Amino acid sequence: HVISILENGAVQKMFHSYAEFIEYYWEETGAADECMLFVQDMETFELLSLNSEGNRKWTHILFSNDELWNHYISMGGKNGARFYPISGKYRDNRARGDALILTASDRIEQLEYLIDGLPDMRFHIAAHTQVSDKLHQLAESDHVQIYPQISAQDLNMLWDNCDFYLDINHYREIYDAVSNAHMRNMLIMGFDNTLHHRELVGSECIFAIEEGEKMIHAIKELMAHPVLIQERLDAQHQKKEEIWKQLVQRRDSGHGI
């Protein structure tokens, strides 16, 4: 756990933590006073000693998922934010009738109502664990498929083949579902009481809990007229751009992230 800098075979500097090395590097490069870090996993979190007190040069820390960000907040961190990547090129979305739902429970808002109201839509419901009999029974419908303990191969297949992501499951999110759906150009739709990342969802794709019929009508309209889905996707992409603009404005105003 010691990092050494050698010059012509001679040790010039030694550091007893990765965090010390990063601080030294930042100073030696003569970079600006501000430093923004991107933390991608818990190993990096620990290597950077983000959980320890001390003088750190970085002023902004971006986290690749909510788990890392929330962990930082729970330790008193105040200069962090969620990192949302923006794709340089999105895959085509033709409003095909395949919708993905990722869930950690069988409590999925108005699922049966949506299944009955959208007979032309194929519902793919996946979990990272075994699923209850309640969900298994839904698979009796010929346009519903259940994926208990979904494999990485099957999940990648669903990411590629589904054009809608229904963020209608209660409780926690799995597989960073909404952000991944956004990156794959899937149209994200959900209810007021189920959205995990409202900041990524276009306003026309958010429905009140009593508006199940309105959601059904909206999906039918998009499936019948695929050209309309691009308008919804453009609004969805704009949400991410707004997040980044807000981060830059907060930085420039001196209020941090």
Side-chain angles (χ1 to χ4, degrees), residues 192-255:
D192 265 330
N193 63 330
T194 61
L195 291 174
H196 293 87
H197 293 280
R198 178 182 291 269
E199 69 274 17
L200 294 182
V201 185
S203 58
E204 293 188 20
C205 293
I206 301 175
F207 302 87
I209 189 173
E210 66 273 10
E211 292 182 332
E213 182 59 35
K214 186 176 178 181
M215 180 187 282
I216 288 174
H217 177 75
I219 292 174
K220 285 183 175 179
E221 186 75 6
L222 291 168
M223 290 171 60
H225 305 92
V227 67
L228 298 177
I229 201 169
Q230 192 56 51
E231 296 179 11
R232 301 289 188 272
L233 290 170
D234 288 343
Q236 183 171 285
H237 297 157
Q238 185 65 32
K239 300 290 284 187
K240 254 187 196 178
E241 294 176 7
E242 290 172 1
I243 292 172
W244 279 106
K245 287 178 182 177
Q246 291 170 8
L247 290 177
V248 172
Q249 289 171 357
R250 291 180 63 182
R251 183 201 65 188
D252 293 344
S253 67
H255 293 101

Side-chain angles (χ1 to χ4, degrees), residues 3-21:
I3 299 174
S4 301
I5 295 181
L6 289 82
E7 184 176 342
N8 297 323
V11 175
Q12 299 297 317
K13 285 281 185 178
M14 293 183 66
F15 307 92
H16 295 282
S17 75
Y18 192 70
E20 289 181 5
F21 169 68

Side-chain angles (χ1 to χ4, degrees), residues 3 17-22 36-52 56 58 60-65 68-69 71-72 75:
I3 299 174
S17 75
Y18 192 70
E20 289 181 5
F21 169 68
I22 292 294
M36 183 177 290
L37 289 180
F38 174 46
V39 181
Q40 198 165 7
D41 50 42
M42 186 57 70
E43 181 182 4
T44 303
F45 190 108
E46 294 172 350
L47 281 172
L48 292 171
S49 302
L50 296 180
N51 58 343
S52 65
R56 294 287 179 253
W58 41 82
H60 308 305
I61 306 175
L62 302 179
F63 297 94
S64 65
N65 59 59
L68 290 170
W69 185 22
H71 184 56
Y72 184 63
M75 298 166 56

Side-chain angles (χ1 to χ4, degrees), residues 108-230:
I108 305 176
E109 189 67 43
Q110 300 194 42
L111 178 58
E112 293 89 344
Y113 185 73
L114 294 173
I115 290 173
D116 291 340
L118 292 164
D120 295 327
M121 171 165 271
R122 292 171 294 278
F123 290 82
H124 303 272
I125 306 167
H128 63 324
T129 63
Q130 291 293 339
V131 301
S132 67
D133 291 340
K134 176 182 176 181
L135 288 183
H136 273 300
Q137 289 170 5
L138 294 176
E140 294 175 3
S141 299
D142 58 8
H143 61 298
V144 178
Q145 190 163 353
I146 306 296
Y147 304 79
Q149 293 183 311
I150 188 167
S151 66
Q153 181 179 357
D154 284 343
L155 183 56
N156 285 332
M157 176 269 294
L158 293 175
W159 286 132
D160 291 337
N161 294 339
C162 295
D163 282 342
F164 294 87
Y165 183 79
L166 302 184
D167 189 18
I168 60 176
N169 61 295
H170 287 272
Y171 307 122
R172 70 185 182 87
E173 180 186 43
I174 60 173
Y175 297 118
D176 203 15
V178 177
S179 182
N180 275 312
H182 202 292
M183 283 295 291
R184 287 164 172 80
N185 208 32
M186 300 166 69
L187 186 64
I188 304 164
M189 310 178 80
F191 293 107
D192 265 330
N193 63 330
T194 61
L195 291 174
H196 293 87
H197 293 280
R198 178 182 291 269
E199 69 274 17
L200 294 182
V201 185
S203 58
E204 293 188 20
C205 293
I206 301 175
F207 302 87
I209 189 173
E210 66 273 10
E211 292 182 332
E213 182 59 35
K214 186 176 178 181
M215 180 187 282
I216 288 174
H217 177 75
I219 292 174
K220 285 183 175 179
E221 186 75 6
L222 291 168
M223 290 171 60
H225 305 92
V227 67
L228 298 177
I229 201 169
Q230 192 56 51

